[in-house]
Amino acid sequence: MSIFDVLTLFGGLAMFLYGMRLMGTSLKEGSSGALKKALEGVTNNIFKAFLLGFIVTAVIQSSTATIVITSGLVAAGILTLKQSLGIIIGANVGTTVTGQIIRLIGVNDSSDSWLQIFKPSTLAPVALIIGIVLIMGFKFKRAKTFGSIAIGFGILFSGLLNMTNAVDTLTESGVFEGLFAKLGDNPFIGYLIGATVAFILQSSSATIGILQAFSASGGLAFNAIYAVIVGVYLGDCVTTAIVCSIGAKAEQKRVGIVNILFNLGKSVLVLGVVAILKWLGVLDGIWHSVATPGSIANTNTIFNLACALLLFPLMTGFEKMSKIIVKDDPAQKFKYHDKVEALNPAFFSTPALALRSCYDALLTMFYASRENITRGLDMLQKYDERTYITVQQEEDNIDQLADHVSKYLVQLASHITADEHVAILNHYYKIVNEFERLGDHAKNIADTALELHERNTPFSNIALAELDVVEEILNRILDFTEQAFKKRDADAAYQIEPLEEVVDDLVVALRDNHMSRLANGQCNIVAGTDFMDLLGDIERISDICSNVGLATVGRVKPELADKTHDYTYFLHSGRDQDFNKEYESAHKEYFDKLNALLVSEGQ
């Protein structure tokens, strides 16, 4: 044994871990939309939840990721703690699939079986070739994701082969055999080793895979490794619980606690049953038998399946114990705390879930800002102190929510690589500022209403009637803005532009009319300044809606994403006949209403 053998071993381990990480990350990224829908579809049927947990973990090859994502869904209120119980069990069983894949290392070299196709020495280069061809030779949407999955798979098996070759050399020294012989005499040490390694690597699959690589040398026996396998369960779930608890609310922490309780139950059950069966002599035939990658994979799967079946009835008890261990959160004062809780770092590994949380928060910001706009405009007609206080409180809530979304988007950016997710992230960067500005202008309108009330200088009836016309078209623009963002509707976004131009025209007309009334002494000069400021806020609101519409068009049509100014210039230049038709129709409709008011007032 030399230093080079040790370097080969740890180099192989590094490749194995990186390959597993790359493959798992790419799988999560490529299937995050389906993953989100699957986990959200969980009902109170614990068996359906178990199947979902099993399938999801088998796909993304990480029980930690599945449980952390589940804890985030619980925090967001999408799942209840009770609904998560089946997923936790399924995730623990699903993680054994990785070991069953790795067992292919044990396929006999001299065999003529078709299974030789699945040997790591065959799969590794094939997967690497497929991966690099997909990444460098194809341009379709998912080529990079599928290529990364294949590359990760190839690196994983290449690392596994390096570890196996290094272990073969180390076995000749006798140190290796002596170490595991001692483990067979003391299962408690084996248990601690399994827990420690799994905790450090943050992966039960990786730890089992390393054990399988060591077993390929033929120097391991069942009595030396069964306790290590059981210890892995505890080490992995402790890591998961820590991740679930970082900045988390009570229900989210309880998911991690339930997972620990379940795995402690597994440990007690397996070690107890093995001890009894050994005492009865049932295990004499396999106690000193040589462990292989296949037997380790089977042992791991049998342990998990048996424990899942036997511990199913105890899950409700684990749920109750978690509520005793983790106390309820104190009452929250922030109105939209549920939206903030949904902006959970646990979703960073699954961008679709993280971006969905941002979408929900942004939509909440829009609704709150729009409602404040309505409140402010209503107070111009009849001031109400309670309504004004509500506007102020809601504005604070909007600002807080905007801060949380902005910070979350910044943190999320480094976890996103897929082009489609980057496009959504950039879209939301723009939208969060626009929706916050909507709230600011709503507050300005409410402040104008307050000033008019305190000075007892209300607008004239004709001014209020003119504002009703502008409010009507403004609500129409806000309707299209909501539809554009909510449904990513480019057609709705397109409808905003001609209406926004009409608002600009109306604002100019109302300013001219107001100046005429001031000259004739029909309006108060002090109130006139407020009227001008109000028209500025209304114009800015329509401009913001235009910006939201353009951002939506840029997302739906990426070729226009960096050319929105050219796009609006083209529309406003009169060269787009559809735009001209919509503009002329809306202009006639609202100026007819405005002129009718002036006629009725004799102006």
Side-chain angles (χ1 to χ4, degrees):
M1 179 181 68
S2 68
I3 185 64
F4 300 108
D5 298 320
V6 176
L7 285 174
T8 300
L9 174 63
F10 283 99
L13 174 60
M15 292 176 65
F16 179 84
L17 294 175
Y18 177 72
M20 179 169 288
R21 176 69 62 87
L22 178 62
M23 182 167 57
T25 300
S26 300
L27 282 165
K28 283 184 283 184
E29 196 169 272
S31 62
S32 54
L35 173 60
K36 170 187 167 295
K37 292 179 182 178
L39 290 176
E40 285 183 354
V42 171
T43 66
N44 287 325
N45 186 324
I46 195 171
F47 296 103
K48 180 179 179 181
F50 167 81
L51 288 175
L52 278 172
F54 174 83
I55 293 170
V56 168
T57 304
V59 169
I60 67 176
Q61 305 210 6
S62 174
S63 60
T64 298
T66 302
I67 294 173
V68 168
I69 291 169
T70 301
S71 73
L73 293 174
V74 170
I78 297 173
L79 294 178
T80 64
L81 178 61
K82 189 175 187 66
Q83 289 173 323
S84 73
L85 301 179
I87 297 178
I88 292 171
I89 301 175
N92 278 273
V93 177
T95 195
T96 66
V97 171
T98 307
Q100 294 294 346
I101 295 173
I102 294 174
R103 72 178 298 174
L104 296 173
I105 196 174
V107 174
N108 193 333
D109 285 333
S110 62
S111 172
D112 293 328
S113 170
W114 59 272
L115 284 175
Q116 286 201 64
I117 298 173
F118 298 102
K119 286 177 54 183
S121 58
T122 304
L123 286 176
V126 170
L128 291 170
I129 292 169
I130 292 173
I132 201 65
V133 168
L134 284 171
I135 292 173
M136 299 184 67
F138 292 88
K139 300 297 182 183
F140 64 89
K141 188 175 181 181
R142 298 285 187 179
K144 185 176 179 181
T145 299
F146 292 148
S148 295
I149 293 170
I151 290 286
F153 194 77
I155 293 174
L156 183 154
F157 274 115
S158 294
L160 191 64
L161 289 169
N162 280 355
M163 281 196 295
T164 302
N165 293 334
V167 168
D168 286 339
T169 303
L170 291 173
T171 303
E172 298 173 1
S173 67
V175 175
F176 179 74
E177 293 181 358
L179 174 63
F180 281 97
K182 292 179 180 179
L183 292 183
D185 298 329
N186 194 332
F188 180 71
I189 295 178
Y191 182 82
L192 290 179
I193 289 175
T196 302
V197 174
F199 178 77
I200 293 172
L201 298 182
Q202 301 182 30
S203 172
S204 61
S205 297
T207 309
I208 296 296
I210 292 170
L211 195 61
Q212 288 175 287
F214 273 92
S215 71
S217 66
L220 295 184
F222 175 81
N223 69 325
I225 55 91
Y226 81 92
V228 178
I229 294 174
V230 180
V232 167
Y233 306 150
L234 179 64
D236 188 42
C237 73
V238 170
T239 301
T240 304
I242 292 173
V243 175
C244 290
S245 299
I246 298 175
K249 62 192 295 188
E251 283 291 91
Q252 187 177 357
K253 293 176 183 177
R254 287 167 182 158
V255 174
I257 295 298
V258 169
N259 190 38
I260 286 180
L261 294 173
F262 174 70
N263 279 279
L264 282 174
K266 281 165 56 176
S267 298
V268 172
L269 185 61
V270 172
L271 293 176
V273 170
V274 168
I276 293 172
L277 293 178
K278 175 65 172 64
W279 181 69
L280 294 174
V282 176
L283 300 179
D284 289 348
I286 65 169
W287 193 249
H288 295 287
S289 63
V290 175
T292 64
S295 65
I296 290 175
N298 290 338
T299 299
N300 187 33
T301 301
I302 291 170
F303 282 173
N304 275 279
L305 280 174
C307 289
L309 181 63
L310 295 173
L311 295 178
F312 244 120
L314 300 181
M315 291 305 290
T316 302
F318 292 154
E319 178 191 6
K320 293 177 180 178
M321 289 175 65
S322 72
K323 292 180 178 179
I324 295 173
I325 296 171
V326 179
K327 304 301 181 183
D328 289 332
D329 292 319
Q332 300 287 342
K333 294 183 179 180
F334 178 46
K335 181 178 179 181
Y336 300 118
H337 71 274
D338 59 324
K339 301 301 179 185
V340 173
E341 293 291 350
L343 300 173
N344 198 306
F347 293 150
F348 285 164
S349 62
T350 312
L353 294 175
L355 292 170
R356 176 57 193 233
S357 295
C358 294
Y359 167 83
D360 290 340
L362 288 170
L363 200 55
T364 299
M365 284 178 61
F366 173 81
Y367 289 145
S369 298
R370 180 173 185 176
E371 187 64 29
N372 261 3
I373 292 171
T374 300
R375 292 187 183 106
L377 292 172
D378 287 347
M379 282 194 294
L380 296 173
Q381 304 277 353
K382 183 179 180 180
Y383 179 80
D384 180 76
E385 181 67 24
R386 287 179 297 180
T387 301
Y388 180 79
I389 293 173
T390 300
V391 170
Q392 297 296 318
Q393 292 173 339
E394 195 71 335
E395 171 60 11
D396 289 340
N397 290 331
I398 293 168
D399 287 344
Q400 286 189 55
L401 195 52
D403 288 341
H404 284 292
V405 173
S406 297
K407 291 176 182 177
Y408 189 74
L409 288 171
V410 171
Q411 295 170 345
L412 176 61
S414 62
H415 298 271
I416 287 181
T417 56
D419 292 341
E420 61 180 300
H421 292 149
V422 172
I424 297 172
L425 185 76
N426 292 335
H427 183 211
Y428 289 173
Y429 268 135
K430 300 174 184 177
I431 295 300
V432 65
N433 293 323
E434 302 295 350
F435 286 172
E436 184 180 23
R437 289 173 58 212
L438 275 183
D440 292 339
H441 290 294
K443 179 180 177 298
N444 291 344
I445 294 172
D447 288 340
T448 297
L450 174 63
E451 291 176 6
L452 293 170
H453 171 72
E454 290 179 340
R455 292 197 305 261
N456 195 26
T457 54
F459 292 146
S460 63
N461 289 333
I462 182 62
L464 291 173
E466 287 178 337
L467 288 175
D468 284 341
V469 174
V470 178
E471 183 178 359
E472 182 181 337
I473 189 173
L474 193 62
N475 280 326
R476 189 170 164 188
I477 290 174
L478 288 166
D479 285 339
F480 282 126
T481 303
E482 176 185 344
Q483 186 175 347
F485 175 73
K486 187 176 182 179
K487 299 181 179 179
R488 201 175 62 175
D489 189 337
D491 291 334
Y494 181 86
Q495 296 296 322
I496 297 172
E497 281 304 305
L499 296 177
E500 187 270 335
E501 281 289 286
V502 175
V503 168
D504 289 346
D505 295 342
L506 286 170
V507 166
V508 172
L510 263 60
R511 282 174 176 156
D512 291 342
N513 294 344
H514 179 66
M515 294 304 294
S516 297
R517 289 193 294 269
L518 284 175
N520 296 331
Q522 293 175 279
C523 285
N524 185 293
I525 294 177
V526 177
T529 302
D530 291 327
F531 189 78
M532 291 297 193
D533 290 340
L534 177 64
L535 291 178
D537 284 311
I538 289 173
E539 189 173 18
R540 296 288 82 75
I541 289 172
S542 68
D543 289 341
I544 290 170
C545 292
S546 171
N547 292 340
V548 174
L550 291 173
T552 301
V553 170
R555 180 180 164 192
V556 176
K557 300 179 179 179
E559 66 274 13
L560 297 177
D562 298 323
K563 301 177 181 179
T564 53
H565 291 296
D566 295 339
Y567 173 70
T568 53
Y569 177 78
F570 171 75
L571 293 179
H572 296 173
S573 66
R575 288 179 288 174
D576 188 296
Q577 295 306 313
D578 291 334
F579 176 88
N580 295 341
K581 182 178 179 181
E582 292 293 335
Y583 167 75
E584 291 167 3
S585 174
H587 190 279
K588 182 178 186 308
E589 177 184 353
Y590 289 101
F591 270 85
D592 283 351
K593 292 181 179 181
L594 184 62
N595 292 331
L597 286 175
L598 298 178
V599 170
S600 67
E601 292 292 327
Q603 296 187 25

